Amino acid sequence: MIENKKYAQKHNFAFIDEATKKEIRRKLLKAVAIPGYQVPYSSPEMPIARGWGTGGLHVTLAVIGKDDIFKIIDQGSDASVNACNLREFVHQMTGCQTTYDTAEATLIQTRHRITEEELTEDQIFIYQVPQPEPLRSVERYEYKTRQMHGEADYAKMWVSLYEQIVRHGDIMLGAGYPVKVNHRYVMAPSPIPRWDVPNLNNSKALHLFGAGREKRLYAVPPYTVVEPLEFDDIKFHTESFAGTECYRTNYKKAFLDELYFDDGSKHYIINDSNFLDKLDAGQEPKQHENIYINQIEA
């Protein structure tokens, strides 16, 4: 008797149907070819609501293979609810190996952070993006923002930054600080902190961005120039943790979170959980290098 294997599995590999995955991959190729340019795509339905990481999940499921090793973090943590649920979903839909180790992973999905450990040429870094349009704060209409990008007309953005300096003495933008990619497009680098923005510049890894709710994909290829917007006399700067260090490792050159103990005392701890675990274990993971980190005294 011939066994019908066509419907032996209850789901397609990586959940999304093959035609849709091909469409996403084609759009990603265009995004890689035009760094920083937002490419519209179909944003298929997923078993989670749009706005909860569907864009990053679309990209991950479109490019992942059975031999990939998958890691996902949520604001630096491998153990958050978002990270754990999406990790289990990807594992069940693909059967691929999962890991907490940044160096071991071939595919890393993130929400709002770049790992402290340096990425390599063999890795793909995928972002969940809530708002892909960097001009939304200065222009409400989509057709106008598309025209502004097409003409490289970023005057409104520069005026907005100047007004913040006049009123507050500094550019009052934190997470998602706008950057110019390959000397052409202004891009929203997902709500990563300023600390992570310099790590996009000339990165060895391929960075892919997915905004499911807004139906946009964009990319930063390896070894691409990514520059934060700044004036000649008012320079970009990262978050300052001067005078603080991780209370567990005494390490100073990492993005730190505040912790308040039961006695009311305030302490700081490294945000990247895997980087923290490695330092705690006496390892020396290779960290990203940039001029801002190098200025911090060890």
Side-chain angles (χ1 to χ4, degrees):
M1 180 177 178
I2 300 175
E3 183 180 357
N4 186 349
K5 295 184 178 180
K6 183 176 181 181
Y7 301 106
Q9 283 189 322
K10 295 181 181 180
H11 60 83
N12 192 53
F13 175 77
F15 187 81
I16 304 174
D17 65 276
E18 294 303 317
T20 304
K21 283 193 286 188
K22 288 180 181 178
E23 182 248 349
I24 294 173
R25 288 195 287 264
R26 286 196 300 268
K27 299 299 178 63
L28 287 173
L29 285 174
K30 182 175 182 179
V32 171
I34 314 174
Y37 174 72
Q38 298 171 51
V39 183
Y41 80 113
S42 59
S43 185
E45 295 288 345
M46 297 296 291
I48 59 174
R50 289 188 179 92
W52 292 88
T54 52
L57 202 56
H58 290 151
V59 176
T60 293
L61 297 176
V63 302
I64 197 169
K66 292 183 179 180
D67 296 329
D68 275 307
I69 302 175
F70 179 65
K71 170 183 169 72
I72 182 170
I73 57 174
D74 179 4
Q75 301 204 43
S77 173
D78 293 275
S80 72
V81 173
N82 183 272
C84 290
N85 287 339
L86 295 188
R87 182 187 303 109
E88 181 63 22
F89 176 75
V90 171
H91 175 66
Q92 288 190 10
M93 295 298 105
T94 64
C96 71
Q97 182 182 343
T98 61
T99 184
Y100 291 169
D101 190 341
T102 300
E104 184 184 19
T106 60
L107 204 65
I108 303 174
Q109 183 175 325
T110 183
R111 177 174 177 264
H112 302 178
R113 273 309 311 273
I114 296 178
T115 57
E116 295 287 348
E117 191 167 352
E118 186 180 34
L119 302 172
T120 69
E121 295 175 340
D122 298 322
Q123 294 177 313
I124 299 177
F125 206 76
I126 298 169
Y127 299 76
Q128 301 170 204
V129 182
Q131 176 50 263
E133 180 52 74
L135 300 175
R136 184 62 67 236
S137 61
V138 296
E139 178 51 64
R140 64 186 296 186
Y141 294 110
E142 180 72 18
Y143 78 94
K144 288 187 178 180
T145 60
R146 307 305 291 172
Q147 181 180 353
M148 291 164 69
H149 282 298
E151 297 175 351
D153 177 12
Y154 297 118
K156 284 188 176 182
M157 174 64 78
W158 286 109
V159 170
S160 174
L161 299 180
Y162 172 74
E163 288 177 343
Q164 293 180 41
I165 293 172
V166 171
R167 293 173 181 173
H168 308 288
D170 198 2
I171 297 175
M172 305 301 290
L173 293 176
Y177 193 97
V179 297
K180 180 169 281 191
V181 182
N182 202 29
H183 309 292
R184 175 56 178 88
Y185 285 99
V186 169
M187 185 190 83
S190 182
I192 58 175
R194 288 189 182 204
W195 180 275
D196 291 336
V197 170
N199 296 331
L200 281 168
N201 184 45
N202 284 313
S203 173
K204 298 175 183 178
L206 169 62
H207 296 259
L208 303 176
F209 301 77
R213 184 170 49 197
E214 302 294 323
K215 303 183 179 181
R216 292 289 185 270
L217 302 171
Y218 51 105
V220 175
Y223 302 105
T224 298
V225 176
V226 178
E227 304 165 300
L229 299 186
E230 62 181 7
F231 295 95
D232 291 340
D233 55 341
I234 305 292
K235 296 296 185 180
F236 169 83
H237 58 85
T238 61
E239 293 86 352
S240 175
F241 298 102
T244 62
E245 61 184 26
C246 175
Y247 83 96
R248 280 173 53 179
T249 64
N250 298 324
Y251 196 76
K252 299 178 181 179
K253 294 188 174 186
F255 189 81
L256 303 176
D257 287 336
E258 287 185 9
L259 289 180
Y260 289 87
F261 287 5
D262 291 340
D263 60 1
S265 61
K266 181 170 68 173
H267 300 267
Y268 290 86
I269 191 168
I270 294 173
N271 171 268
D272 186 332
S273 60
N274 181 244
F275 192 76
L276 172 64
D277 290 341
K278 288 183 176 181
L279 291 178
D280 236 358
Q283 301 179 34
E284 297 182 357
K286 182 174 175 54
Q287 190 178 9
H288 287 283
E289 288 189 11
N290 59 61
I291 59 174
Y292 307 98
I293 291 179
N294 294 339
Q295 290 173 355
I296 301 173
E297 295 183 2

